[in-house]
Amino acid sequence: MNGRKKVRLGDLLVEGKIISQEQLAVALDEQKRSGRKLGRILVENGVVQEDQVLDVLSRQLKIPYIDLKHYKFNPDVVKLLPEMLARRFRSIVLAKTPDGFLVGMADPTDIFAFDELSRALAGTVRQAVIRESDLLRTLDLVYRKTEVITEFAGELSTEMSAGEVDLRALLSDANVSDAPVVKLLQSLFEDAVQINASDIHIEPEEKLLRIRQRVDGELQEHVMEEPNIASALVSRLKLIAGLDISEKRLPQDGRFSIKAQTHNVDVRISTMPVQYGESVVMRLLDQTKGTYNLEELGMPDHLIKTFRKVISRPYGMVLVTGPTGSGKTTTLYAGLKLLNEPDTKIITVEDPVEYRLPRLNQVQVNPDIGLSFARVLRSALRHDPDIVFVGEIRDEETAEIAVRAALTGHLVLSTLHTNSAIATVNRMLDMKIPGYLLASALNAIVAQRLVRRVCESCAQNAQLTDELIQFVRHVGGEPASKAGFKKGAGCAHCNFSGFRGRLGVYELLELDRKMSAALGRGDTVEFGNLARSKPGFFTLEQAALQAAMKGITTIEEVLRISADLEGEIPEDMHTEADAASAGAP
């Protein structure tokens, strides 16, 4: 296709007998009213599948379809097209060739976009058709804000060094939207949202400022050689969060909301005095995404069925356990989303409130004024709730009130910091909860962890060493030769980490009569034996191994969970790829 002949997507779909002339007419009328793309209207209305549109465009226009999920692009080549044009024309430069450029377009029938791209690249453009949703994710990965952040940091450092700026006025004047410190923070948040970071760490050192972002559980580092800007950043953040900017000797905690691009983000901020100033950690909660469904979390179908059953009971207690950052609250909110009906009164007691759902009565505890979990929980029970969600059971008093609430006709959902479902019972008994009360109250326990997903774009087969094959057999997996273990080689899609995204792995223990009887007697050994022999019960190790054998995660992630539960990872347990890389110079 030379790009000069005007082609209409609707005509192509009609010619290909994908849609009828009547369906096209209806979509064109809607296009006139809304101004949206015709293809998007047809897909959203269920008239066609997106794959059908892409296939028709590829065949009729005689251009290739390229799956960006598996395309190993070069970020430097992509950036030959300015970000503004790439987003405006829904396009990406895939390759630079001797005779021009290969450009992926979500709508290759857009003649105006084709002409503008040819002009901007100053060369011959060959087209390929790509999926728009994959394109937008790829653009977010490539057009990071790191260069802009560095530029603003240098600008702020120059102004502060020159002494030409009134720092106090700069920090306090909310209207100075073009001030370097404001632009730097805005770029920092936008970059974090683009790469789906969960935390931002600001760490001042003697000769540099270190900014790190946690993505998929791992920290990515950006170093700035302007340590003098740290105080301006921290002070501005304190002002936004309503903290005391003059207090630099004590830790402070706060919260604020920002809008980064099209995302509304709640930010939990914590400051701490360190040797060269104040360290800041910000947890980002993207409210635009909303809460997840159980299927989106990675919970298998058979566990979803059981989990729905135990949280649908009119009373009793369901506990979700795991370390900090393992997604416990996210899982319980996915459950609350199912239970949130007009005829059900739900009260949550949290520190802090992480997700916001309509119809829920959400209370944030405040220990500074005596508003503890226990105190709020007592008051909540006088508000006639059907379901009470306790953000975390931290002490004996909260545990006792929660158990008694579960015994008096309420469904109580809560989290606890224990390693496994079976260990949760011991923790509750340690909190002085009598075994006979716990046995009557407890419906089920869910233990969970998050493992990193293998990047789909660079996944390759992983060969296991003999030691790892023995480990697989020990955990209870099928012979390694029948499994599809994968490992990411590293590419631009995953920031060369080999991983992209995370997946929840779960063990769900529903108590039966025998287990409740053993717990009522205080016989934790018998309780553990009954739990492990319960039909259909899978440990966290086994759940993670199942994901690894399907190529969703790596065997190293299984070993990490195993070490977390039982001890250190044996030194000789590595894949052959790891062994080879360890010996490389």
Side-chain angles (χ1 to χ4, degrees):
M1 176 184 174
N2 60 17
R4 299 301 172 186
K5 181 181 177 182
K6 190 170 183 62
V7 181
R8 297 182 184 275
L9 173 62
D11 295 337
L12 294 178
L13 292 172
V14 171
E15 287 175 17
K17 298 182 179 179
I18 305 298
I19 65 173
S20 66
Q21 195 69 49
E22 291 75 16
Q23 289 172 320
L24 174 60
V26 172
L28 288 172
D29 286 340
E30 186 172 338
Q31 183 186 37
K32 290 178 182 177
R33 291 194 305 270
S34 65
R36 292 185 299 153
K37 292 281 189 180
L38 179 65
R40 182 54 49 196
I41 292 172
L42 291 168
V43 171
E44 290 177 356
N45 290 350
V47 178
V48 295
Q49 298 292 323
E50 188 174 10
D51 287 343
Q52 291 178 296
V53 176
L54 297 174
D55 181 60
V56 166
L57 288 172
S58 176
R59 286 188 292 104
Q60 296 294 331
L61 302 180
K62 295 182 174 55
I63 60 176
Y65 163 68
I66 292 180
D67 186 352
L68 287 182
K69 286 183 180 178
H70 303 285
Y71 188 83
K72 295 186 178 179
F73 56 84
N74 183 337
D76 293 331
V77 172
V78 174
K79 290 179 182 178
L80 291 173
L81 185 66
E83 180 181 4
M84 182 182 70
L85 294 181
R87 293 189 182 277
R88 180 182 176 189
F89 298 124
R90 294 293 192 262
S91 304
I92 182 172
V93 182
L94 298 172
K96 185 177 181 180
T97 60
D99 59 342
F101 302 90
L102 175 63
V103 177
M105 299 181 67
D107 181 9
T109 66
D110 190 334
I111 303 301
F112 175 76
F114 178 88
D115 290 341
E116 288 297 313
L117 291 172
S118 300
R119 189 177 297 111
L121 292 170
T124 302
V125 169
R126 290 189 300 113
Q127 292 174 296
V129 61
I130 54 178
R131 190 185 301 272
E132 185 174 357
S133 56
D134 293 340
L135 167 70
L136 295 176
R137 280 194 293 268
T138 303
L139 294 181
D140 284 344
L141 286 171
V142 176
Y143 293 104
R144 293 282 303 274
K145 302 290 183 180
T146 50
E147 294 177 5
V148 177
I149 291 171
T150 302
E151 177 185 337
F152 288 151
E155 186 179 337
L156 176 59
S157 178
T158 301
E159 287 199 13
M160 293 179 66
S161 300
E164 296 174 353
V165 63
D166 183 347
L167 183 58
R168 199 173 190 81
L170 178 68
L171 296 175
S172 60
D173 187 355
N175 295 319
V176 188
S177 58
D178 61 343
V181 65
V182 177
K183 293 190 289 187
L184 174 57
L185 285 173
Q186 184 70 19
S187 299
L188 186 60
F189 284 121
E190 287 179 354
D191 184 57
V193 166
Q194 280 191 194
I195 62 173
N196 200 26
S198 61
D199 301 84
I200 299 176
H201 297 235
I202 299 175
E203 302 167 344
E205 296 186 12
E206 184 179 11
K207 296 182 179 179
L208 55 87
L209 175 63
R210 202 179 300 276
I211 294 181
R212 300 197 280 178
Q213 298 164 314
R214 191 175 294 279
V215 181
D216 295 336
E218 299 293 315
L219 286 171
Q220 298 179 5
E221 186 172 271
H222 182 61
V223 175
M224 299 181 181
E225 298 179 355
E226 298 90 1
N228 59 329
I229 69 172
S231 60
L233 280 177
V234 174
S235 296
R236 183 73 192 192
L237 288 168
K238 281 183 173 181
L239 276 171
I240 298 171
L243 304 179
D244 185 355
I245 64 171
S246 64
E247 180 56 77
K248 300 180 180 180
R249 300 166 300 171
L250 296 173
Q252 297 187 67
D253 296 299
R255 184 171 188 162
F256 60 90
S257 298
I258 61 162
K259 185 163 187 176
Q261 298 177 339
T262 58
H263 295 252
N264 295 316
V265 182
D266 279 352
V267 182
R268 287 156 46 188
I269 179 173
S270 178
T271 69
M272 182 175 64
V274 293
Q275 187 175 7
Y276 296 105
E278 290 179 276
S279 172
V280 175
V281 174
M282 292 179 285
R283 169 64 56 88
L284 309 181
L285 301 168
D286 192 343
Q287 299 298 330
T288 308
K289 294 180 179 178
T291 53
Y292 291 90
N293 297 320
L294 292 169
E295 292 82 0
E296 295 173 317
L297 300 178
M299 189 178 282
D301 291 340
H302 68 283
L303 290 190
I304 290 177
K305 184 178 179 181
T306 304
F307 186 69
R308 281 179 169 167
K309 180 178 71 172
V310 297
I311 65 172
S312 297
R313 292 175 182 170
Y315 59 87
M317 175 180 280
V318 177
L319 296 174
V320 177
T321 75
T324 300
S326 58
K328 302 183 295 296
T329 303
T330 303
T331 297
L332 281 176
Y333 260 93
L336 288 175
K337 194 173 180 181
L338 290 172
L339 302 171
N340 188 14
E341 297 291 342
D343 61 352
T344 304
K345 171 90 168 189
I346 302 175
I347 298 178
T348 77
V349 188
E350 305 173 69
D351 183 21
V353 175
E354 294 193 15
Y355 299 98
R356 297 168 186 171
L357 283 180
R359 207 181 287 117
L360 268 61
N361 294 263
Q362 299 174 281
V363 183
Q364 180 165 323
V365 303
N366 187 348
D368 293 340
I369 61 172
L371 197 63
S372 63
F373 274 105
R375 184 170 181 179
V376 177
L377 190 50
R378 278 198 198 92
S379 179
L381 295 178
R382 293 193 288 271
H383 282 246
D384 188 30
D386 297 295
I387 300 170
V388 178
F389 168 51
V390 184
E392 182 184 344
I393 294 178
R394 298 177 178 174
D395 52 56
E396 296 175 12
E397 188 178 12
T398 306
E400 181 185 355
I401 299 170
V403 167
R404 293 195 179 277
L407 291 171
T408 54
H410 305 89
L411 177 66
V412 178
L413 309 177
S414 189
T415 71
L416 205 64
H417 285 274
T418 59
N419 272 347
S420 66
I422 295 172
T424 301
V425 168
N426 293 327
R427 177 75 177 121
M428 292 295 286
L429 294 175
D430 288 343
M431 288 184 173
K432 305 296 190 294
I433 302 299
Y436 66 91
L437 287 181
L438 188 58
S440 301
L442 196 56
N443 291 343
I445 307 167
V446 179
Q448 69 179 77
R449 295 291 190 280
L450 294 177
V451 295
R452 292 179 292 171
R453 290 179 181 267
V454 174
C455 174
E456 294 181 6
S457 302
C458 59
Q460 59 185 29
N461 292 331
Q463 299 298 318
L464 272 58
T465 61
D466 292 339
E467 291 81 6
L468 275 178
I469 292 174
Q470 291 177 11
F471 170 75
V472 171
R473 289 173 180 159
H474 170 71
V475 174
E478 58 185 275
S481 59
K482 297 181 181 179
F485 290 101
K486 299 286 185 181
K487 186 178 181 67
C491 66
H493 285 278
C494 59
N495 199 33
F496 301 96
S497 67
F499 298 96
R500 191 176 177 194
R502 288 192 288 180
L503 170 80
V505 291
Y506 306 85
E507 64 179 34
L508 195 161
L509 183 60
E510 182 184 7
L511 274 67
D512 56 26
R513 290 183 179 179
K514 289 183 179 180
M515 293 167 62
S516 295
L519 183 54
R521 297 191 303 268
D523 190 345
T524 55
V525 174
E526 177 65 12
F527 177 87
N529 291 335
L530 288 169
R532 280 183 281 269
S533 61
K534 187 176 175 67
F537 176 70
F538 285 90
T539 66
L540 284 169
E541 262 184 325
Q542 291 169 333
L545 182 59
Q546 289 295 319
M549 294 198 313
K550 294 175 183 176
I552 301 173
T553 188
T554 66
I555 189 67
E556 284 76 21
E557 289 289 278
V558 184
L559 285 169
R560 180 175 60 81
I561 287 180
S562 180
D564 180 33
L565 295 171
E566 299 179 11
E568 294 298 322
I569 299 176
E571 290 186 4
D572 54 356
M573 285 194 176
H574 298 283
T575 59
E576 291 182 1
D578 284 340
S581 63

